[in-house]
Amino acid sequence: MIEARRLHILRALADHRTVTAAAAALYLTPSAVSQQLAALEQETGHRLVERGARGVRLTAAGDILLGHANAVLAQLERAESELAAYEAGEAGTVTVAAFATGIGLVLAPAITELARSAPGIRVRVQDAEGDASLLMVLDRQVDVAVAVEYRGAPGEDDPRLTRVPLYAEPFDAVLSPGHPLAGAERVPLADLAKDPWIGPYSGNPCHDVVVLACEYAGFEPRLEHSSDDFRAVVALASAGAGVALVPRSALRGMDLTEAVVRPVDGVAPTRRVFAAVRRGAEDHPLLRPVLTALRTAAAAQG
């Protein structure tokens, strides 16, 4: 009989690619992960992972078992949801991981709505970038992620997650007052091909949005300055250190007196934001009101 907790370990190894990283995500020691993996291989009678210089990867047998593991773990989430519903679970704590702008734009208003509509639900918030928050959900470190679409993100058909679309917002160009395009009503991205650029670090979902938008415009941005703090990005652009693309909601509340902010000409790069839970958990009586409140808050943003 295969133990479900060992399926969690197999999935963590597939997601994190090293025993050390999988152990950290599951709050186990590397030796405990290795022991549980060895037990799982003994239970199945197959070698499930191969170790290499860059970590571990699943064997063909491991890939087969992973597909079943995703289905089994999703069904266990559904079982927990139905049992919680049976007990009329109207009170408890839900942990949500979200990036900073998402916290201000939808999560904080959702908490306000929950205080009115579901006062028994307490929300605990963790600040995390959109790519990190999805792994936190899969590793059961949090219950809900407010995440950003990025290159390589789990798709809508991913068997591990259920996604709920929240909102999409454009990126605006941020220039210095002395930039040649500062007087334009809209900024064509192709006209910024020779400028130095300021943007988030590689790995930040917004980095992918900026790079892809520039690639579609026919060039690769020359990123000379990097920061995940959009206030820092705007300050550098205002000082003439380079040009930047910044999500429109991130500009709210900033002092933009020294910056020039313009919409992008043509098809503007867009940040698509969604909520995600482990597949099968979307109907849990504690999570369903949180997802509803997030959708309501996102709809209120227009």
Side-chain angles (χ1 to χ4, degrees):
M1 180 69 69
I2 297 173
E3 291 191 20
R5 61 175 176 158
R6 291 173 183 156
L7 297 180
H8 280 294
I9 287 173
L10 181 69
R11 187 157 79 177
L13 286 167
D15 288 336
H16 295 281
R17 302 295 183 183
T18 71
V19 171
T20 301
L26 298 175
Y27 299 103
L28 298 172
T29 63
S31 61
V33 168
S34 296
Q35 289 169 7
Q36 292 297 318
L37 175 62
L40 183 59
E41 290 182 326
Q42 185 174 7
E43 286 173 346
T44 61
H46 292 279
R47 188 157 58 96
L48 301 174
V49 303
E50 293 179 343
R51 290 171 171 81
R54 296 186 177 181
V56 299
R57 68 181 184 86
L58 266 58
T59 63
D63 281 329
I64 291 172
L65 183 58
L66 179 63
H68 290 287
N70 288 330
V72 169
L73 294 175
Q75 190 59 41
L76 287 174
E77 292 284 355
R78 293 187 187 97
E80 290 180 7
S81 298
E82 290 185 15
L83 287 170
Y86 175 76
E87 295 175 358
E90 297 174 352
T93 299
V94 175
T95 304
V96 183
F99 57 100
T101 309
I103 291 172
L105 198 64
V106 294
L107 184 50
I111 291 173
T112 300
E113 167 61 20
L114 287 167
R116 182 194 65 79
S117 61
I121 296 178
R122 174 174 174 255
V123 176
R124 180 182 295 121
V125 179
Q126 294 190 24
D127 189 338
E129 290 299 335
D131 54 339
S133 64
L134 294 176
L135 282 176
M136 293 169 73
V137 167
L138 290 172
D139 293 335
R140 303 179 71 88
Q141 297 174 11
V142 300
D143 302 302
V144 182
V146 176
V148 177
E149 192 71 64
Y150 61 95
R151 183 160 34 189
E156 295 181 0
D157 59 347
D158 191 291
R160 303 169 298 170
L161 295 168
T162 294
R163 297 180 11 156
V164 178
L166 295 179
Y167 65 92
E169 62 172 328
F171 282 59
D172 289 324
V174 182
L175 317 170
S176 70
H179 193 278
L181 293 175
E185 291 186 4
R186 305 181 70 85
V187 174
L189 277 188
D191 290 355
L192 302 177
K194 295 182 179 180
D195 285 271
W197 278 74
I198 310 153
Y201 286 100
S202 178
N204 184 313
C206 288
H207 174 91
D208 284 348
V209 175
V210 172
V211 171
L212 283 173
C214 293
E215 288 177 358
Y216 288 142
F219 70 97
E220 182 178 347
R222 180 163 48 93
L223 285 162
E224 292 196 356
H225 311 282
S226 297
S227 176
D228 288 335
D229 184 336
F230 286 120
R231 291 185 182 276
V233 170
V234 169
L236 288 169
S238 302
V243 298
L245 290 174
V246 176
R248 189 165 291 172
S249 66
L251 295 169
R252 296 181 184 180
M254 285 194 197
D255 180 3
L256 300 174
T257 55
E258 300 298 324
V260 174
V261 178
R262 296 288 183 267
V264 173
D265 192 27
V267 179
T270 302
R271 174 161 71 170
R272 302 186 184 280
V273 179
F274 60 92
V277 298
R278 292 180 294 278
R279 189 172 291 270
E282 59 272 13
D283 288 326
H284 191 287
L286 291 179
L287 301 188
R288 188 172 58 247
V290 173
L291 294 175
T292 298
L294 286 169
R295 284 195 298 264
T296 300
Q301 298 299 322

